[in-house]
Amino acid sequence: MTTSPPPVTEPDPSALVCGGDRVGPCAVCHRKTHRYGRGGAPLCHWCMARAQAEWGPNVRYVGMRA
């Protein structure tokens, strides 16, 4: 059962449980999501699910630090 994501005007659920200084736009759809700080990711829940469906379950965001 596949559910379609809500409108982009609604934030990702992760944005509702983190501090406002950690919220930023999703890199794909620009929906508000937990982007910065510990536990943040560049993609919202729905865009990450789409990427994993296309590329496999091993797709994940590791980080930008060397």
Side-chain angles (χ1 to χ4, degrees), residues 3-51:
T3 60
S4 61
V8 178
T9 55
E10 293 185 27
D12 186 57
S14 65
L16 302 175
V17 295
C18 69
D21 60 333
R22 296 182 180 182
V23 174
C26 169
V28 175
C29 69
H30 306 288
R31 173 189 317 273
K32 289 183 181 181
T33 188
H34 179 187
R35 176 128 187 211
Y36 306 106
R38 187 177 189 100
L43 300 178
C44 70
H45 171 79
W46 293 281
C47 291
M48 179 60 85
R50 223 173 324 164

